Amino acid sequence: MSGFPPLVDQHCHGVLRSGPAGRSGFESCLTEAHALPRPAAPGASPFDTQLGFALRRWCAPVLGLEPHCPPEEYLLRRAELGTAEVTRRMLRASGISAYLVDTGLPGALLTPGEIAETAGAEAYEIVRLERLAERAADTARDVHAFLSGVSDALHAATRTARGFKSVVAYRCGLDFEPAPPNTSLVRTHAERWLTSRSPGDRLTDPVLVRHLLWSAVRTGLPLQLHTGFGDPDLRLDRCDPLLLTDFVRATEAYGTPLVLLHCYPYHRGAGYLAAVFPHVHVDFGLTVPYVGARSGAVLAELLELVPFGKLLFSTDAYGLPELYVVGARLFEEAVSGVTGEWVDRGAWSAPDAERVTGLIAGGSAARLYGLDGLDGLEGSGGPGGPDVSDGPRTEV
Amino acid sequence: MSGFPPLVDQHCHGVLRSGPAGRSGFESCLTEAHALPRPAAPGASPFDTQLGFALRRWCAPVLGLEPHCPPEEYLLRRAELGTAEVTRRMLRASGISAYLVDTGLPGALLTPGEIAETAGAEAYEIVRLERLAERAADTARDVHAFLSGVSDALHAATRTARGFKSVVAYRCGLDFEPAPPNTSLVRTHAERWLTSRSPGDRLTDPVLVRHLLWSAVRTGLPLQLHTGFGDPDLRLDRCDPLLLTDFVRATEAYGTPLVLLHCYPYHRGAGYLAAVFPHVHVDFGLTVPYVGARSGAVLAELLELVPFGKLLFSTDAYGLPELYVVGARLFEEAVSGVTGEWVDRGAWSAPDAERVTGLIAGGSAARLYGLDGLDGLEGSGGPGGPDVSDGPRTEV
Amino acid sequence: MSGFPPLVDQHCHGVLRSGPAGRSGFESCLTEAHALPRPAAPGASPFDTQLGFALRRWCAPVLGLEPHCPPEEYLLRRAELGTAEVTRRMLRASGISAYLVDTGLPGALLTPGEIAETAGAEAYEIVRLERLAERAADTARDVHAFLSGVSDALHAATRTARGFKSVVAYRCGLDFEPAPPNTSLVRTHAERWLTSRSPGDRLTDPVLVRHLLWSAVRTGLPLQLHTGFGDPDLRLDRCDPLLLTDFVRATEAYGTPLVLLHCYPYHRGAGYLAAVFPHVHVDFGLTVPYVGARSGAVLAELLELVPFGKLLFSTDAYGLPELYVVGARLFEEAVSGVTGEWVDRGAWSAPDAERVTGLIAGGSAARLYGLDGLDGLEGSGGPGGPDVSDGPRTEV
């Protein structure tokens, strides 16, 4: 899309090194469901969803095919080209200038460095707190070693990573106790967990997860929090970002940016939090590819309350390199469509629309994560005016 | 509407045998409210709602009147023609090929057989679980006879009906204990209920309702569950389909299709459940006539996450035959409008839109309920591909 | 906007007597946030929200500037003209015929009488219950004097005010115990509160707030209840109007109109309550200015279930006179856009759209609050028909 400002994908994951195995492997990468019935009923395959339709629309041309070609044709062409070539084409076609990669997911995935090299772009790491703690637990001899290990790993991450990520939504729900747990309680729970766990076990102890959250908040680096829909391991009604309200209040004085990810279908509530708490930002990553043709409609809902500089683009791409293309194209189409309609009927001015587009696409993320080396990523002053476009960064 | 695929109304009720009495009787059939103030304030009559406007639009022409003619003129013409003729005209005009009739509502209503004959269409029974249990209780001498009666009636229903329906949302809320109750607990509660109840009393005991739900799940027939809005007997915030999440998880291994009815305003959460659990399907029956001119907007929200073959048309018509016409016309207009816009801007292909329309209108319901005799109701293979359009039905 | 029916602003507040101080003072009046970072990040100023954009669009021309002129230019011109002139221009430009002013907010604000005089319009008082009780507590010597003071003040208000308002959402959340508290419980809590409070302290005791609510219900005057979003003192998830369901049921027999204010993002649930309970009405005041260009979209969602005569216009304007202009223009544009689209595609008739517009704009509010002196504010009979357009007012 010519003239669209640079994209910073502020939340994504790695790409499968060897590609998915067969049609069913590919389909598994297109859904949040755990189990797919084989054979699926007509219309119940992941290809028969908004994501499936969007993938055929936007990715087929990248492989030299017609938009909306049948899945079989798409998969055949994909196999012909091979995983490396498909990955290279998709990452380059995505138009993304910088990737912030949550490295805490399992699988044989490309590293941030490999993504950067393949894409010809920048890539940075986001450290997943729960994975950091699980790694520390896998090697710790005792509670002291575990807690020191966590502390050291967090400290090390502040030098190499651009932010933290938590999946407390999956592990405990967002209605967790908001206050930081005291040291002796943390020790007791660490003892209990280390004693009972087998290597590789997930961290679900709410006291330890809270300890991680508060440790991350104290570093000042942006903290991304999964909210809203995801795979069936979570209970969606316990992932409403409004359940975080007391945690948001408790952390406000620290100034550490909280970035609420995905948010759907509770994105209006997330917009409210961003409107009334200075340190809250909102992303709608996973939502864009999954709602496909409806991305503009959902974006418009988000743009009701959220201050425009607090909304951040991401793809949440994981596994398939196609998801970067789908996320980027749908996002551009959504922003252009929504703001274009407002300009057409005089509700917004054209320069405002352009400025806001730049902020959402990447300008705000570049500021938030300190991606100083990127060209053209700062939003111009505009109506925000001279008293806000300079001065110290208060948030990081 | 020429060229629209066959409609299967997968959830509806009977039509009043003698028609409603007067304007106030008619209005009572156009609202979920219990009590209407007489006289209503201007704009507060059920005629001054989306349903009222849609009825005047779509049904007036069926009686030979102009669309949007005044309510008085409509009611006068209705009285002239008489209930039998109005019913015949409406059912035939609806264009519905097959009716799945929940026979558990009170009132002097046409039976499925009479609906089929009047409409010149197919009709099948859906058995309402709570009514089945209340009937068994009305005649049972003791607990043993009651529980045997329930079990026998359920077994008999599997031979004559196409599915079950539960109104646990009304009776207990959807936040009920998800696990099946054990036999001795069921006996204790049955004892208590039979002792205290008067003939005709509603079943509200949560243990007995759970016993019914689990008994139905074990039959493998589709189980319809009221979710979302309805009359003021329910508390809407306890009818969010996401409150069913643990019940959905607990029943997944059985493969029994769960069909979430209505869902509004929690339809996006219902779409999520359908996206991540293979046995969950979604209907937006009651919502369509009640939101009227907004049907397309609500449908578009539903089509964000739900796999397209898991969304089912219904009217939830009850009492007035007009509700079949209103539901069918609004549904057709909604689907055509929403998918047409996506085709126009290239987000969907035209063949995909046609195929998905066929699935939602009736193809998926025909499969789910085993309506094998209906012509033209199977969706074609299309992008779902050959590996999904044949093979054994896994769900029923 | 020529031809738009008269507007009754059924919920608003006073205008700052001396105007806000500087840019930061002005920005503080454009957000529900407590603390704004200085300097704000680009795009995070209240000017970079839908409200900020709508203000530049609609209010700049009232000051003789181009729509969407930069904030600096707007603020400069505002300072040149002075507070009194800006207030006069804005109130007169708003086109509002009658103001219902909640006088319970702090600050040096214009009184209803001053607003009426400045605007050349009518103004009436709405009495805020919590403020009434706090004033009574400030002067009461003991519990008896306090409770008598509350009772006397309520009684006096029924002679001078047009309704009551409660912010129980802020003070206790909407999940409060629905039943009226008994006298001895009220006395105990009054004793406790009077003993512990310092002058000026807010009332947050749930028993005393319930006592106020029930005392107001017994007067029969309309009772406005804050629901949905607001400043960060509230927890939004505890302000879902559906949490009021049991209170709504408990008060139904009194017939006292309950008016749910704002409602966002739970406005669909509010529409449901209005659809099924005769005494429930809905307002979306604060929502309109805050969602700006999205007002039409939110209005359309509200118009899904709410009977059309039960939806009321308001601005919730507070502090800045601009907020009256923004609220009125956005509302008119929203109603015209939404109903115009429905008329264009035949879903509504043009006379119906005109009648409904008149009801929402001011006709229903004029009836509900007994504003008999206003010209042209009664909706015509139309499809509601002769049996509903006359007869006794049942509600007040």
Side-chain angles (χ1 to χ4, degrees), chain B residues 43 48 56 264 293-294 301, chain C residues 246 268 304 309 345 352 355:
Chain B
D48 278 328
R56 287 165 49 225
Y264 181 95
R294 289 281 298 168
E301 290 176 1
Chain C
D246 291 335
R268 283 170 156 166
E304 286 164 1
R345 59 179 170 88
D352 278 339
R355 186 172 56 89

Side-chain angles (χ1 to χ4, degrees), chain A residues 4-8 308 311 331 335 352-366 376-380:
Chain A
F4 206 88
L7 295 171
V8 174
F308 304 132
L311 179 59
F331 169 76
V335 175
D352 278 340
E354 193 179 346
R355 187 172 55 89
V356 168
T357 299
L359 290 171
I360 302 175
S364 296
L377 278 168
E378 290 301 282
S380 64

Side-chain angles (χ1 to χ4, degrees), chain C residues 202-219:
Chain C
R202 289 183 165 191
L203 174 63
T204 57
D205 181 289
V207 167
L208 298 180
V209 175
R210 282 161 56 208
H211 173 64
L212 292 172
L213 289 171
W214 277 98
S215 301
V217 164
R218 290 191 186 100
T219 70

Side-chain angles (χ1 to χ4, degrees), chain B residues 65-82:
Chain B
L65 303 168
E66 287 296 307
H68 301 295
C69 75
E72 297 70 29
E73 192 181 333
Y74 184 86
L75 293 171
L76 202 64
R77 175 70 176 146
R78 202 182 195 284
E80 274 170 26
L81 289 169

Side-chain angles (χ1 to χ4, degrees), chain B residues 13-71:
Chain B
H13 305 277
V15 173
L16 281 174
R17 209 169 273 284
S18 332
R23 179 176 175 132
S24 69
F26 192 88
E27 285 184 336
S28 296
C29 294
L30 286 183
T31 176
E32 291 285 336
H34 282 159
L36 295 172
R38 296 270 164 259
S45 144
F47 272 112
D48 278 328
T49 61
Q50 294 285 5
L51 174 55
F53 282 21
L55 183 135
R56 287 165 49 225
R57 176 199 195 180
W58 293 112
C59 298
V62 179
L63 305 189
L65 303 168
E66 287 296 307
H68 301 295
C69 75

Side-chain angles (χ1 to χ4, degrees), chain B residues 81-159:
Chain B
L81 289 169
T83 297
E85 174 61 12
V86 170
T87 299
R88 199 191 62 82
R89 287 198 189 193
M90 292 294 164
L91 290 179
R92 299 209 165 227
S94 75
I96 293 167
S97 300
Y99 298 80
L100 287 151
V101 186
D102 168 2
T103 53
L105 275 175
L109 301 167
L110 297 187
T111 63
E114 290 168 320
I115 289 175
E117 195 182 331
T118 311
E122 303 289 320
Y124 305 91
E125 188 178 14
I126 299 290
V127 169
R128 186 185 285 228
L129 294 172
E130 292 80 6
R131 186 81 196 91
L132 177 153
E134 289 153 6
R135 280 187 179 136
D138 283 345
T139 57
R141 298 170 317 273
D142 58 22
V143 169
H144 177 76
F146 167 67
L147 293 175
S148 305
V150 165
S151 174
D152 292 350
L154 278 163
H155 191 65
T158 60
R159 288 191 304 270

Side-chain angles (χ1 to χ4, degrees), chain C:
Chain C
M1 205 165 281
S2 76
F4 206 89
L7 294 172
V8 174
D9 187 348
Q10 76 106 30
H11 178 71
C12 61
H13 306 277
V15 173
L16 281 174
R17 209 170 274 285
S18 332
R23 179 177 176 133
S24 69
F26 192 87
E27 286 183 335
S28 296
C29 294
L30 286 183
T31 176
E32 292 285 337
H34 282 159
L36 295 172
R38 296 270 164 262
S45 144
F47 272 112
D48 277 328
T49 62
Q50 293 286 4
L51 174 54
F53 281 22
L55 182 135
R56 287 164 51 224
R57 176 198 195 178
W58 293 112
C59 299
V62 179
L63 304 189
L65 302 169
E66 287 296 307
H68 301 297
C69 75
E72 297 70 29
E73 191 180 334
Y74 184 86
L75 293 171
L76 202 64
R77 175 72 176 145
R78 201 180 196 286
E80 275 171 24
L81 290 168
T83 297
E85 174 62 13
V86 170
T87 299
R88 199 191 62 81
R89 288 198 188 192
M90 292 293 164
L91 290 179
R92 301 211 164 225
S94 76
I96 293 167
S97 300
Y99 298 79
L100 287 152
V101 185
D102 167 4
T103 52
L105 275 175
L109 301 167
L110 298 186
T111 64
E114 291 169 319
I115 289 176
E117 195 183 331
T118 311
E122 303 290 320
Y124 306 92
E125 187 179 13
I126 300 290
V127 169
R128 186 184 285 228
L129 294 172
E130 292 80 7
R131 187 82 196 90
L132 177 152
E134 289 153 6
R135 280 190 179 134
D138 283 345
T139 58
R141 296 171 316 274
D142 57 23
V143 169
H144 176 77
F146 167 66
L147 292 174
S148 306
V150 165
S151 173
D152 292 348
L154 277 163
H155 191 66
T158 61
R159 289 191 303 269
T160 59
R162 296 301 169 127
F164 292 104
K165 153 92 180 273
S166 170
V167 289
V168 58
Y170 277 93
R171 304 299 173 84
C172 314
L174 297 180
D175 46 351
F176 59 85
E177 182 67 35
N182 68 46
T183 313
S184 79
L185 190 67
V186 170
R187 271 209 200 92
T188 307
H189 281 254
E191 180 79 51
R192 191 180 306 161
W193 186 52
L194 291 176
T195 309
S196 65
R197 88 186 283 268
S198 308
D201 273 6
R202 289 183 165 191
L203 174 63
T204 57
D205 181 289
V207 167
L208 298 180
V209 175
R210 282 161 56 208
H211 173 64
L212 292 172
L213 289 171
W214 277 98
S215 301
V217 164
R218 290 191 186 100
T219 70
L221 278 196
L223 173 58
Q224 303 179 338
L225 293 153
H226 180 106
T227 72
F229 84 118
D231 75 45
D233 282 352
L234 56 74
R235 254 195 81 119
L236 182 48
D237 51 346
R238 293 186 59 202
C239 298
D240 182 341
L242 290 176
L243 297 173
L244 287 170
T245 305
D246 291 335
F247 180 71
V248 167
R249 286 173 178 161
T251 56
E252 182 174 356
Y254 293 78
T256 303
L258 303 182
V259 184
L260 309 177
L261 303 176
H262 318 316
C263 304
Y264 181 94
Y266 305 112
H267 42 288
R268 283 170 156 166
Y272 166 74
L273 292 176
V276 299
F277 293 104
H279 63 316
V280 175
H281 300 72
V282 178
D283 154 289
F284 62 132
L286 181 59
T287 310
V288 173
Y290 272 88
V291 307
R294 288 281 299 168
S295 296
V298 173
L299 171 67
E301 290 176 0
L302 250 175
L303 287 175
E304 286 164 1
L305 284 194
V306 68
F308 304 132
K310 299 179 102 184
L311 179 58
L312 309 170
F313 162 69
S314 81
T315 63
D316 197 43
Y318 172 42
L320 299 181
E322 278 91 341
L323 296 174
Y324 288 103
V325 170
V326 171
R329 285 303 87 71
L330 286 172
F331 169 76
E332 290 169 348
E333 186 184 50
V335 175
S336 302
V338 167
T339 62
E341 187 234 310
W342 293 337
V343 171
D344 285 348
R345 59 179 170 88
W348 284 28
S349 74
D352 278 339
E354 193 179 345
R355 186 172 56 89
V356 168
T357 299
L359 290 171
I360 302 175
S364 296
R367 285 181 60 86
L368 202 62
Y369 297 98
L371 313 183
D372 305 318
L374 293 171
D375 290 338
L377 276 169
E378 289 301 284
S380 63
D387 63 340
V388 298
S389 65
D390 48 23
R393 295 267 302 288
T394 56
E395 290 160 321
V396 175

